[in-house]
Amino acid sequence: MTSAELTAAVPAALHIPGPATPYQGDIARYWDGEARPVNLRLGDVDGLYHHHYGVGEVDIAALGDPEDRGYEDRLIAELHRLESAQADVLLEHLGGIGRDDTVVDAGCGRGGSMVMAHQRFGCSVEGVTLSAKQADFANGRAAELGIGDHVRATVCNMLSMPFATGSAAGSWNNESSMYVDLDDLFAEHSRVLEVGGRYVTITGCWNPRYGQPSKWVSQINAHFECNIHSRREYLRAMADNRLVPQAVVDLTPDTLPYWELRATSSLVTGIEDAFINSYRDGSFQYVLIAADRV
């Protein structure tokens, strides 16, 4: 079933709470209305619908000759492979999650990472998003795969999640933390995680060594209606909320090939140059941080 068919097939049956702030309302409307081919067409490759970017070297042999018929389809499949590779990197850093555990995807989008987490660990996965359309889509996809009893998306604010204190063995934000205050976010992750539980984020952040957010970072903020934080802010807010980093990985060199390939595709959105230029000049970084709840 394609993304268009799945969207049409899923009824709007979710309880939708009112936004706590006008900004939350703006973000909910933004993602309810988002239907970029770069997200949907890539997900149609294998039914995993992501809302993040890719890591790893491009498989030039798999792309073949740009003049050959079918090249664009192969390029899209390669972009999607790199997206899923990014999710694999995040899930690898969650550590030893068991079948009886519950993990939380804060800012789950259309649910691709949730499906991958259940397939990898056999665990239950709870996702939260401000977008009712995203949650409906994610729940419809889980039902289609027969894993609806284990994978669920809920419409709510990630700063006030409907999960019991200490109930999660792991949690993450995959390119969603730029929509919230980091102290509030990490306080909530610290609350829902059990002691010893693992939190992971992959995010773009501006580099304090650059001095201030560059013009490229400002363009990215405007494009996505977000507020990108500095790397220093992440580490400080984690320390203030009982999350102790165990790994800090600079993924910038690993994500550049994805962006350089995407810039040659038919799915460009106009923001590609801002990512490429900011990664190259060092003003923007793509970082993974894994931290344990103490």
Side-chain angles (χ1 to χ4, degrees):
M1 185 176 286
T2 67
S3 57
E5 292 167 336
L6 186 58
T7 299
V10 178
L14 292 170
H15 168 66
I16 305 173
T21 66
Y23 176 69
Q24 286 184 17
D26 288 344
I27 298 308
R29 284 188 291 273
Y30 177 92
W31 287 108
D32 278 343
E34 186 277 333
R36 293 190 183 94
V38 74
N39 292 321
L40 295 173
R41 191 172 173 195
L42 269 62
D44 286 343
V45 170
D46 63 2
L48 291 172
Y49 293 88
H50 297 302
H51 282 276
H52 58 255
Y53 310 126
V55 297
E57 291 297 324
V58 173
D59 186 343
I60 301 299
L63 290 176
D65 189 338
E67 302 301 320
D68 287 349
R69 184 177 180 179
Y71 175 79
E72 183 69 12
D73 288 341
R74 295 194 298 273
L75 187 153
I76 287 168
E78 181 64 5
L79 287 174
H80 182 64
R81 184 186 70 81
L82 297 174
E83 280 188 316
S84 292
Q86 188 263 27
D88 274 329
V89 169
L90 187 152
L91 296 175
E92 285 170 6
H93 281 82
L94 277 179
I97 302 297
R99 296 183 64 86
D100 295 331
D101 289 329
T102 297
V103 295
V104 174
D105 183 350
C108 63
R110 290 184 173 93
S113 295
M114 292 199 296
V115 172
M116 291 179 66
H118 174 71
Q119 290 173 339
R120 174 184 284 258
F121 302 117
C123 62
S124 295
V125 189
E126 297 281 358
V128 300
T129 173
L130 288 173
S131 168
K133 285 190 176 180
Q134 287 187 343
D136 265 342
F137 190 105
N139 288 332
R141 182 67 185 130
E144 184 183 32
L145 292 170
I147 57 175
D149 291 342
H150 302 281
V151 175
R152 179 179 64 174
T154 300
V155 181
C156 75
N157 179 2
M158 69 175 75
L159 303 182
S160 182
M161 295 187 280
F163 311 129
T165 298
S167 60
S171 64
W172 69 86
N173 287 94
N174 197 353
E175 296 180 15
S176 57
S177 56
M178 65 288 295
Y179 287 101
V180 292
D181 176 87
L182 292 181
D183 277 309
D184 293 341
L185 176 68
F186 294 148
E188 184 65 351
H189 278 287
S190 184
R191 182 189 69 80
V192 302
L193 281 169
E194 63 186 27
V195 174
R198 172 64 59 88
Y199 170 77
V200 182
T201 185
I202 295 182
T203 186
C205 55
W206 66 269
N207 186 353
R209 291 188 177 183
Y210 189 82
Q212 289 290 330
S214 68
K215 64 179 181 181
W216 307 118
V217 171
S218 296
Q219 287 182 20
I220 296 168
N221 277 334
H223 184 84
F224 293 105
E225 300 184 26
C226 63
N227 181 33
I228 292 166
H229 307 288
S230 72
R231 184 183 67 238
R232 183 179 296 152
E233 290 174 276
Y234 279 92
L235 297 174
R236 182 183 298 132
M238 285 183 180
D240 288 344
N241 289 284
R242 305 184 67 85
L243 294 171
V244 178
Q246 304 298 310
V248 180
V249 183
D250 184 359
L251 295 172
T252 308
D254 301 295
T255 197
L256 255 176
Y258 165 89
W259 283 102
E260 290 167 343
L261 181 63
R262 174 167 151 172
T264 70
S265 77
S266 63
L267 303 178
V268 293
T269 63
I271 200 60
E272 287 77 12
D273 283 348
F275 277 90
I276 292 169
N277 290 330
S278 61
Y279 285 144
R280 287 177 176 169
D281 71 16
S283 63
F284 194 44
Q285 296 177 307
Y286 198 53
V287 175
L288 178 148
I289 306 173
D292 286 345
R293 166 68 163 88
V294 298

